[in-house]
Amino acid sequence: MFKRRVTPSIGRRLGDLLWPAAGWRRRLRYVFLRLARLSGSPYSIAAGFACGGAVSFTPFLGFHIVLGVGFSWILGASPIAALIGTLIGNPWTFPFIWWWTYWLGHQLLPGHQMIALKGVDVAYLTHHVWDILAPMALGGVLSATLVWFVSYYPVRRAIVVFRRNKASRRAGPRIPEA
């Protein structure tokens, strides 16, 4: 009943992941509404989202979901919101995140040499993992802490306002007393 008449091809579906046909604004609004409609307190949802967003700044690429859900569990936050928060790390943002965390970690580690991108290949990476991972881990942990606070407060405020507006729409128009 609610299916499409023509099922999109696999190529169209993959293309829609990278560039949504309906636009980024609609996609982001959909993600926000999914987040705001989760059950739980504004703290739980915002803290879960912040955990997911924060772990996106760590260099542990295969473990972002596990880390986000784990930290949300420790804080008593929503694990579903943490899953949504990990969307901050995606193919569009990872190059910037990785550059930022490496640069920040390089600035904070004394005597660490910055690696030129020209000499980096798979063989170099396998032999010098720690030269890249150490600054990225340090920069990632510091960035994750900042991202947690920067994302928690606006998301919490947006959820409170969304729920307040939803409650006032349900109550209907106020009739002044005579």
Side-chain angles (χ1 to χ4, degrees):
M1 182 171 169
F2 293 109
K3 289 179 139 182
R4 293 176 180 235
R5 290 183 183 177
V6 178
T7 305
S9 68
I10 293 173
R12 180 66 223 151
R13 289 183 198 172
L14 291 174
D16 200 34
L17 285 175
L18 295 175
W19 198 268
W24 283 107
R25 186 176 187 181
R26 184 171 179 187
R27 175 72 52 102
L28 292 175
R29 179 165 170 72
Y30 172 77
V31 169
F32 170 74
L33 289 175
R34 293 290 301 169
L35 189 68
R37 291 176 180 154
L38 288 175
S39 62
S41 68
Y43 162 78
S44 172
I45 296 168
F49 182 83
C51 288
V55 299
S56 294
F57 278 77
T58 64
F60 312 115
L61 191 57
F63 301 102
H64 285 170
I65 292 174
V66 173
L67 289 171
V69 170
F71 285 129
S72 69
W73 181 74
I74 290 169
L75 294 176
S78 169
I80 303 298
L83 291 173
I84 294 172
T86 59
L87 295 176
I88 288 176
N90 59 63
W92 290 99
T93 59
F94 275 138
F96 301 107
I97 291 171
W98 292 336
W99 177 84
W100 166 254
T101 57
Y102 179 75
W103 179 85
L104 181 62
H106 168 71
Q107 298 299 318
L108 297 173
L109 283 175
H112 188 269
Q113 295 292 328
M114 190 108 166
I115 298 170
L117 289 178
K118 286 183 179 178
V120 176
D121 60 358
V122 176
Y124 181 86
L125 290 174
T126 57
H127 290 92
H128 299 92
V129 173
W130 192 247
D131 292 340
I132 296 170
L133 189 61
M136 284 185 77
L138 178 62
V141 168
L142 294 174
S143 298
T145 304
L146 177 68
V147 166
W148 195 94
F149 287 105
V150 167
S151 62
Y152 170 77
Y153 291 107
V155 169
R156 185 177 188 280
R157 178 71 181 145
I159 290 170
V160 167
V161 168
F162 175 82
R163 289 182 176 178
R164 185 181 315 138
N165 290 343
K166 187 175 178 181
S168 68
R169 282 193 306 270
R170 278 189 181 164
R174 290 187 165 207
I175 300 171
E177 295 181 25

